[in-house]
Amino acid sequence: MMELVDVEALREYVASLPLHERWFLLLVGAIGTLLVLSVLFTGYTIFLRLRNLAKERLWGVREERWTQVVLEALTSEGPVEEVVSRIPKGDRLPFLDFLQRYARRVRGPERRRLDALARPFLSDLLPELANRNPYQRARAVQTLGMLGYQEHRSAVARMLDDPAPFVAMVASRAVLAQGDQELAPKVLARLERFGSWSVEYLTGLLSRAGVFMLPHLRAVMVDTSRPGWVRTVAVRTLEELHDAESADAAAAALAPDPEPDLAVALLRLLAEVGRGEHLPRVLALTSAEHEGVRGAAFRGVGALGGKDDLPLLLDGLHDPSPWVAIRAARALREVGGDGSLEAIFHSPHPRADLAGQVLKEKQ
């Protein structure tokens, strides 16, 4: 009851104060509250820092111990079970993460020994494939793909259809890195899921799979039911793998006037592996509306054409796009038009500087 009286008295006292003094009291109260919060946040920050330092020290001690364990396993000829028994159950998953760092650096018998060391722990990762956190699932797939692919191949295969594209990509990388001839085409069939990755990245990924992918890539290249960017990835991979057998199909794919990125990729492929009979399809695109397509077409003329194409290439120097004009100039040089470039360089031609630049590239 006394507290209520005191509170009421305090309220009456505050109410009796002039307005500017009440504002001052409010300001003091706000400053006090902020000061208390600041002290609390500072204390929490210090607590987190100390906790992280303790974790770092603990991890350092474990890493030092595990390094000795791994080196002993790699250099010893005895059974790995003796080494495995020295890893506590609670350290198994962190130990697998540690082993991955070694797996990237060793080859041959040492790598097989490392895989044997990891094998008893890999089953502990299987429940992580159903973890609600996609990053935990991805880490589990990555570890299985690197340290136990053959034993857990079916588990990795299931993750190709994981709801999270990021997890499916990790599984795809594992499949392609292993050169799995049965599962790798399934990655190609699911390529639409990876639209947020760049064409360059996907091309590099697929090209590492091996030449057994070539028939599947050719099929995607000509499959008009697939998105243009997917076909572009297939074409760029065929170029990367220098697939001469894809030239005829690539030339045929140019006929329906494909979208620009796909057309550029097809023209690049023909410049790499095409033959003289493919030249008419390439010539037809030197007047395309898209400047990227025109530039790639002139590059193709330089690779597949001859001196009969000099007039066309000379016209190409007048293209409104400097990028296309330099492609035409380089093609001119490739078909033996150095004399024409020299004449242009020493003339008042609007592309004289460009011709000089291309002539210097040859030196």
Side-chain angles (χ1 to χ4, degrees), residues 80-316:
V80 296
E81 286 74 11
E82 296 179 8
V83 180
V84 169
S85 65
R86 293 159 56 185
I87 306 298
K89 186 174 180 62
D91 286 349
R92 289 187 167 194
L93 294 184
F95 182 64
L96 284 173
D97 287 339
F98 178 75
L99 287 181
Q100 283 193 72
R101 291 159 53 184
Y102 274 90
R104 296 185 179 96
R105 291 181 287 177
V106 297
R107 296 289 184 273
E110 289 82 8
R111 178 56 195 270
R112 290 191 291 273
R113 186 79 173 169
L114 191 72
D115 290 345
L117 180 59
R119 192 172 296 120
F121 306 125
L122 292 174
S123 58
D124 291 3
L125 274 175
L126 297 179
E128 292 297 304
L129 296 178
N131 195 300
R132 294 179 61 183
N133 186 333
Y135 292 98
Q136 291 295 103
R137 299 200 302 274
R139 189 168 72 168
V141 174
Q142 181 180 18
T143 304
L144 291 173
M146 183 175 293
L147 297 175
Y149 183 81
Q150 296 305 324
E151 296 86 349
H152 299 281
R153 178 174 175 270
S154 59
V156 175
R158 288 197 307 272
M159 303 309 285
L160 292 174
D161 294 312
D162 189 273
F166 171 69
V167 179
M169 171 56 76
V170 174
S172 298
R173 286 172 54 185
V175 167
L176 295 173
Q178 293 291 331
D180 191 319
Q181 297 193 28
E182 180 183 348
L183 292 180
K186 296 183 179 180
V187 173
L188 196 56
R190 292 160 172 76
L191 212 57
E192 282 87 342
R193 298 197 64 195
F194 306 132
S196 59
W197 278 264
S198 70
V199 170
E200 289 73 18
Y201 176 82
L202 295 173
T203 297
L205 192 67
L206 290 169
S207 63
R208 289 196 294 268
V211 295
F212 72 87
M213 287 286 284
L214 292 176
H216 305 286
L217 291 165
R218 292 182 207 128
V220 173
M221 175 178 66
V222 300
D223 186 354
T224 56
S225 68
R226 303 292 295 271
W229 72 266
V230 170
R231 297 174 65 195
T232 299
V233 170
V235 176
R236 292 282 296 273
T237 307
L238 290 167
E239 178 194 354
E240 187 75 18
L241 296 174
H242 307 287
D243 180 39
E245 292 186 34
S246 64
D248 292 340
L254 281 172
D257 189 22
E259 58 189 71
D261 287 345
L262 178 57
V264 169
L266 290 166
L267 288 164
R268 284 169 52 104
L269 176 59
L270 286 173
E272 183 72 27
V273 301
R275 302 183 299 276
E277 63 258 36
H278 303 135
L279 182 60
R281 294 284 175 84
V282 176
L283 290 171
L285 291 175
T286 56
S287 58
E289 182 178 352
H290 192 279
E291 68 176 52
V293 176
R294 296 199 305 275
F298 278 118
R299 177 186 177 187
V301 174
L304 304 177
K307 289 195 173 183
D308 290 344
D309 302 300
L310 285 174
L312 173 69
L313 296 174
L314 287 169
D315 285 342

Side-chain angles (χ1 to χ4, degrees), residues 314-332:
L314 287 169
D315 285 342
L317 292 177
H318 295 280
D319 193 281
S321 168
W323 185 84
V324 176
I326 198 169
R327 290 289 186 182
R330 287 171 179 163
L332 196 63

